[in-house]
């Protein structure tokens, strides 16, 4: 009984899923489980089919695999299904009913001759070992399931516990896993929590996600982070300042606030939303327990990058944090009001009333407001 | 009247019902059983809003 990695690294895509920057690439993970029967766990993006098939053949030579287990139908993991079936016509596809419905959409067929439909708790014997499937609806698509291999105490976790970054690039796990989580899964915290609960009775020693490294030591570190992220609890005591600036005056205000906070011993992260990776900013908003939004009044509303940023947050159920506002305006500053109203329906936010209004450029007044805001934020 | 699942976006149209899940056309949302679950993502009735 062994699990072999047969996935591929993608160093070609610049924007993953059409929006996420991946300077260090990404991996599409696939695994081969070899017992009396042979199961392939998930496929890869079609552009990497040849490399994947080569990996499979290297392990199996001419032996055909018995099963393709499909944990997730998003094309980065499913677009090679049809090609695999053409290569191995005897293979059985194992997945949920909803996955087969999606296959009809993607491929025009649900592979009726090859399909094995499984549901929550269905077991599939491979010989000495057994795969058991657990449905994970909306983590982060409705058809998702995860698979547990009993003899190896291994969880094939679909996109959960995934991260950006190809496997030949080594970097801190949490930063790119957090950016992945809040970017892609963030809205579905409740569903992630219920999956974690569903799995809590399993003895898990190894997690094989669909992106990023296999996790096989110190699992409580990763599970604890996921519990926190799924329940929207902040991870770090500190302030994240997200700003936009047209002529540099709002930026000056944001930087002054940063200095004031740091001189009070507070950890600060700061981001120019127009120039830096938006998804890093989203990640930081969820990472820190306090958020300051600083922007310009624009078209009687707010600067577009700030609007986009706040929309990203509210779509992802931003909650449980302290928020303060800094606005700039030359004739009728009302950015704070707009930002506040955009966050109106967000749960459990503590809004700091001490705001900062910059009239075009910093002056004695607005400097004093920034000092007062710093005091309020560290209270 | 239509009701949409806040979690996954599945739409329940009272006029059409959901025959593939055993719910007859014309069934009012409020008359769906209390343990009704979104057929797509499995969340309960209180996760639906009027469209
Ligand atoms: Fe996905
Ligand atoms: Fe994925
Ligand atoms: Zn739903």
């Amino acid at each position: 009984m062994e699990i072999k990695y047969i996935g591929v690294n993608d160093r070609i895509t610049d924007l993953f899923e059409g929006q996420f920057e991946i300077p260090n690439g990404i991996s599409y993970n696939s695994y081969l489980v070899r017992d009396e029967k042979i199961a392939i766990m998930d496929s890869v993006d079609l552009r990497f089919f040849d490399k994947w098939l080569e990996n499979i053949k290297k392990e199996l030579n001419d032996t055909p695999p018995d099963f393709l287990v499909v944990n997730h139908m998003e094309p980065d993991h499913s677009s090679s299904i049809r090609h695999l079936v053409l290569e191995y016509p005897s293979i059985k596809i194992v997945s949920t009913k909803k996955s087969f419905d999606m296959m009809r959409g993607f491929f025009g067929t649900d592979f009726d001759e090859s399909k094995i439909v499984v549901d929550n708790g269905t077991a599939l014997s491979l010989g000495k070992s057994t795969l058991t499937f657990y449905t994970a609806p909306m983590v982060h698509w409705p058809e998702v399931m995860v698979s547990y291999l009993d003899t190896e105490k291994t969880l094939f976790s679909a996109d959960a516990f995934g991260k950006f970054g190809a496997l030949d690039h080594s970097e801190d796990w949490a930063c790119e896993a957090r950016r992945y989580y809040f970017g892609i899964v963030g809205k579905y915290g409740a569903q992630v929590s219920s999956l974690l609960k569903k799995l809590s009775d399993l003895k898990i020693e190894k997690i094989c996600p669909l992106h990023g490294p296999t996790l096989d030591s110190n699992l409580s570190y990763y599970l604890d982070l996921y519990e926190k992220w799924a329940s929207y609890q902040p991870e770090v005591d500190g302030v994240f300042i997200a700003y936009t600036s047209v002529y540099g005056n709002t930026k000056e205000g944001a930087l002054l606030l940063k200095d004031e906070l740091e001189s009070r011993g507070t950890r600060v992260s700061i981001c120019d939303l127009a120039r830096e990776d938006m998804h890093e900013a989203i990640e930081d908003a969820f990472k820190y327990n306090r958020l300051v939004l600083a922007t310009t009044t624009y078209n009687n509303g707010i600067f577009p990058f700030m609007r986009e940023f706040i929309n990203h947050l509210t779509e992802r159920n931003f909650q449980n944090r302290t928020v303060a506002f800094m606005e700039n305006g030359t004739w009728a500053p009302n950015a704070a009001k707009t930002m506040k109203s955009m966050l109106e329906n967000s749960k459990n936010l503590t809004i700091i009333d001490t705001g900062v209004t910059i009239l075009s450029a910093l002056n004695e007044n607005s400097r004093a407001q920034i000092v007062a805001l710093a005091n309020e934020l560290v209270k | 009247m239509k009701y949409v699942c806040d979690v996954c976006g599945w739409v329940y149209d009272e006029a059409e019902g959901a025959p593939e899940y055993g719910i007859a056309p014309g069934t009012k949302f409020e008359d769906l059983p209390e343990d009704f679950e979104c057929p797509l993502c499995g969340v309960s009735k209180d996760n639906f809003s009027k469209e």
Side-chain angles (χ1 to χ4, degrees):
Chain A
M1 236 311 311
E2 56 175 345
I3 300 173
K4 272 272 155 94
Y5 182 80
I6 52 168
V8 297
N9 283 323
D10 176 356
R11 289 285 195 167
I12 301 166
T13 301
D14 56 344
L15 286 183
F16 178 66
E17 293 184 354
Q19 61 171 325
F20 301 98
E21 283 177 31
I22 44 168
N24 302 313
I26 192 160
S27 68
Y28 307 119
N29 297 343
S30 172
Y31 308 85
L32 192 81
V33 181
R34 244 185 140 154
D35 196 340
E36 283 155 33
K37 301 275 189 192
I38 300 166
I40 293 175
M41 308 303 291
D42 291 291
S43 82
V44 302
D45 187 296
L46 184 56
R47 290 170 300 159
F48 299 88
F49 176 77
D50 289 344
K51 175 70 184 139
W52 182 51
L53 190 64
E54 187 188 311
N55 294 349
I56 295 171
K57 299 253 175 192
K58 214 185 280 166
E59 295 299 326
L60 298 181
N61 297 312
D62 291 327
T63 315
D66 298 280
F67 304 111
L68 170 68
V69 175
V70 176
N71 286 304
H72 182 22
M73 270 305 293
E74 198 160 5
D76 52 334
H77 311 291
S78 73
S79 49
S80 290
I81 293 176
R82 199 214 322 252
H83 284 61
L84 192 73
V85 174
L86 289 173
E87 185 71 28
Y88 298 113
S90 65
I91 200 167
K92 297 284 181 218
I93 305 173
V94 180
S95 199
T96 59
K97 178 185 175 297
K98 287 167 203 160
S99 289
F100 289 106
D101 291 344
M102 289 184 180
M103 285 181 219
R104 236 178 287 131
F106 280 114
F107 304 113
T109 171
D110 61 356
F111 302 97
D112 206 27
E113 253 106 87
S114 321
K115 74 176 176 189
I116 298 178
V117 181
V118 298
D119 203 347
N120 191 50
T122 307
L124 176 73
S125 171
L126 300 178
K128 287 175 198 65
S129 58
T130 301
L131 276 171
T132 306
F133 309 107
Y134 298 92
T135 53
M138 297 320 289
V139 179
H140 59 125
W141 276 27
E143 84 298 355
V144 174
M145 64 177 196
V146 298
S147 307
Y148 180 73
L149 185 66
D150 58 351
T151 50
E152 308 302 298
K153 300 188 175 61
T154 296
L155 180 74
F156 297 91
S157 62
D159 274 337
F161 300 97
K163 87 179 248 305
F164 297 122
L167 292 181
D168 52 8
H169 175 85
S170 91
E171 63 191 344
D172 173 54
W173 185 85
C175 183
E176 283 298 78
R178 191 189 297 104
R179 187 167 71 96
Y180 179 94
Y181 176 86
F182 284 107
I184 294 172
V185 189
K187 175 180 169 62
Y188 302 106
Q191 287 72 23
V192 173
S193 290
S194 56
L195 176 64
L196 293 173
K197 213 160 122 209
K198 204 185 244 189
L199 302 176
S200 59
D201 288 339
L202 294 177
K203 178 116 193 54
I204 297 171
E205 285 176 0
K206 195 179 189 178
I207 297 177
C208 295
L210 286 175
H211 305 280
T214 295
L215 310 174
D216 54 9
S217 62
N218 202 8
L219 284 196
S220 60
Y221 167 74
Y222 304 102
L223 289 163
D224 287 352
L225 276 181
Y226 254 66
E227 297 268 4
K228 215 169 251 177
W229 296 347
S231 58
Y232 302 97
Q233 294 308 316
E235 233 177 294
V236 170
D237 185 32
V239 177
F240 175 51
I241 304 171
Y243 73 89
T244 67
S245 194
V246 184
Y247 292 105
N249 294 305
T250 314
K251 179 178 180 176
E252 215 183 316
L255 289 173
L256 176 60
L257 179 64
K258 176 176 183 279
D259 288 347
E260 291 292 333
L261 286 166
E262 281 174 346
S263 73
R264 287 163 178 76
T266 301
R267 184 167 159 185
V268 179
S269 172
I270 188 163
C271 173
D272 179 341
L273 295 174
R275 289 180 178 75
E276 295 172 56
D277 178 18
M278 185 61 80
H279 296 98
E280 277 292 336
I282 295 167
E283 167 188 350
D284 275 350
F286 283 97
K287 179 175 165 185
Y288 290 90
N289 59 348
R290 286 160 285 173
L291 171 70
V292 177
L293 300 171
T295 196
T296 320
T297 308
Y298 185 82
N299 283 341
N300 205 24
I302 54 176
F303 209 55
F305 300 94
M306 180 59 79
R307 182 175 295 280
E308 184 191 342
F309 180 59
I310 297 175
N311 282 336
H312 276 300
L313 297 185
T314 53
E315 266 171 36
R316 288 166 175 75
N317 295 326
F318 186 71
Q319 54 185 277
N320 301 333
R321 269 120 183 117
T322 297
V323 186
F325 305 98
M326 182 186 298
E327 66 181 356
N328 193 345
T330 295
W331 59 95
N334 65 1
K337 195 171 126 233
T338 305
M339 292 190 281
K340 221 177 267 181
S341 75
M342 287 180 76
L343 288 165
E344 211 166 55
N345 295 320
S346 299
K347 273 196 291 180
N348 198 21
L349 293 184
T350 305
I351 303 287
I352 293 188
D353 288 327
T354 315
V356 176
T357 297
I358 302 169
L359 289 164
S360 303
L362 285 184
N363 62 15
E364 210 176 306
N365 241 335
S366 44
R367 281 202 181 86
Q369 288 176 353
I370 288 170
V371 171
L373 176 57
N375 286 332
E376 194 64 33
L377 279 163
V378 300
K379 241 195 214 159
Chain B
M1 190 77 85
K2 288 181 186 175
Y3 290 80
V4 57
C5 172
D6 298 332
V7 175
C8 76
W10 184 78
V11 177
Y12 178 71
D13 182 341
E14 292 180 332
E16 286 175 14
E20 64 276 38
Y21 304 105
I23 297 164
T27 307
K28 288 255 172 288
F29 183 78
E30 54 185 51
D31 294 334
L32 292 174
E34 270 321 298
D35 60 357
F36 174 81
E37 288 177 350
C38 170
L40 201 51
C41 76
V43 298
S44 58
K45 257 177 105 171
D46 50 344
N47 287 286
F48 279 76
S49 343
K50 274 191 191 142
E51 196 173 51

